[in-house]
Amino acid sequence: EVHFPESDEQACTARRYFALEEFFALQLTVLWKRARYRDLAGRELGKKTGLLTQFYHSLPFDLTGAQKRSVKEIIADMRAPYPMSRMLQGDVGSGKTFVAMCAMLLAVDSGVQAALMAPTQILAEQHYLTFQKWMEPLGLRMSLRTGSRKEDTHVETDGDSQIIIG
């Protein structure tokens, strides 16, 4: 019916069938990959919340309901025994960076480094300055890493960095 349709309606129906079949195969592949991913061993983090609590109390404002919900979901993901796979979406200025800070604080409080990758050097530098402003009272060690800077021009604190912005 696709190759030699007797009518336009028959050709359209056949194309729709193939599209449905292709979409169904794609969905099965996604579900299969998700199930296999969940079988991988992950690193459980986020059991300590001291830095996160300090951060909340240092803010001169309250996080929005959506931000709080996102942080709670991320905490649950980080505490799960499988790798976290999450994408945070939002409009410009909606507070995605603050949610990322919260997740990074949970990681650092668990004894690991955390990194935030930005798509441009300018944005990485802006994020570094923002993080520095909010993380300095918590006593965290931070560094900035970008591709076009020479190693000796990177801003670095004493000791190993707990948070790296790149």
Side-chain angles (χ1 to χ4, degrees), residues 112-153:
V112 298
Q113 275 185 331
L116 178 80
M117 302 301 295
T120 66
Q121 179 174 330
I122 291 172
L123 188 57
E125 290 172 354
Q126 289 173 347
H127 282 326
Y128 176 79
L129 294 172
T130 301
F131 269 66
Q132 196 174 39
K133 173 185 173 185
W134 296 105
M135 299 296 129
E136 191 174 337
L138 302 176
L140 297 178
R141 298 179 308 277
M142 295 180 47
S143 64
L144 173 66
R145 296 280 185 251
T146 58
S148 64
R149 292 176 163 239
K150 293 183 179 179
E151 254 337 282
D152 59 355
T153 64

Side-chain angles (χ1 to χ4, degrees), residues 6 13 34 55 110 135 162:
E6 294 178 11
T13 302
R34 182 180 296 153
F55 177 62
S110 296
M135 299 296 129
Q162 295 167 295

Side-chain angles (χ1 to χ4, degrees), residues 13-27:
T13 302
R15 279 194 308 272
R16 289 181 58 134
Y17 174 79
F18 277 126
L20 176 65
E21 189 175 87
E22 185 178 344
F23 183 71
F24 182 71
L26 180 65
Q27 286 297 96

Side-chain angles (χ1 to χ4, degrees), residues 2-163:
V2 168
H3 296 290
F4 304 106
E6 294 178 11
S7 67
D8 287 341
E9 184 181 318
Q10 197 177 43
C12 183
T13 302
R15 279 194 308 272
R16 289 181 58 134
Y17 174 79
F18 277 126
L20 176 65
E21 189 175 87
E22 185 178 344
F23 183 71
F24 182 71
L26 180 65
Q27 286 297 96
L28 284 178
T29 302
V30 168
L31 289 171
W32 178 76
K33 285 183 178 181
R34 182 180 296 153
R36 289 196 45 156
Y37 189 74
R38 286 278 171 112
D39 289 340
L40 297 173
R43 189 172 184 176
E44 295 179 42
L45 304 172
K47 297 202 186 279
K48 295 180 185 177
T49 58
L51 284 174
L52 182 60
T53 303
Q54 276 183 271
F55 177 62
Y56 275 158
H57 291 308
S58 72
L59 294 175
F61 55 87
D62 197 18
L63 296 180
T64 67
Q67 288 170 322
K68 288 178 183 178
R69 186 177 61 251
S70 294
V71 170
K72 285 180 184 177
E73 290 174 4
I74 289 170
I75 290 171
D77 284 351
M78 290 177 76
R79 290 177 176 172
Y82 48 83
M84 179 171 72
S85 177
R86 176 169 294 274
M87 181 171 73
L88 184 63
Q89 292 179 267
D91 293 336
V92 173
S94 64
K96 297 178 298 290
T97 304
F98 275 93
V99 173
M101 281 186 208
C102 293
M104 294 173 81
L105 288 172
L106 289 167
V108 169
D109 222 358
S110 296
V112 298
Q113 275 185 331
L116 178 80
M117 302 301 295
T120 66
Q121 179 174 330
I122 291 172
L123 188 57
E125 290 172 354
Q126 289 173 347
H127 282 326
Y128 176 79
L129 294 172
T130 301
F131 269 66
Q132 196 174 39
K133 173 185 173 185
W134 296 105
M135 299 296 129
E136 191 174 337
L138 302 176
L140 297 178
R141 298 179 308 277
M142 295 180 47
S143 64
L144 173 66
R145 296 280 185 251
T146 58
S148 64
R149 292 176 163 239
K150 293 183 179 179
E151 254 337 282
D152 59 355
T153 64
H154 281 82
V155 179
E156 185 82 55
T157 58
D158 294 331
D160 291 333
S161 297
Q162 295 167 295
I163 294 178

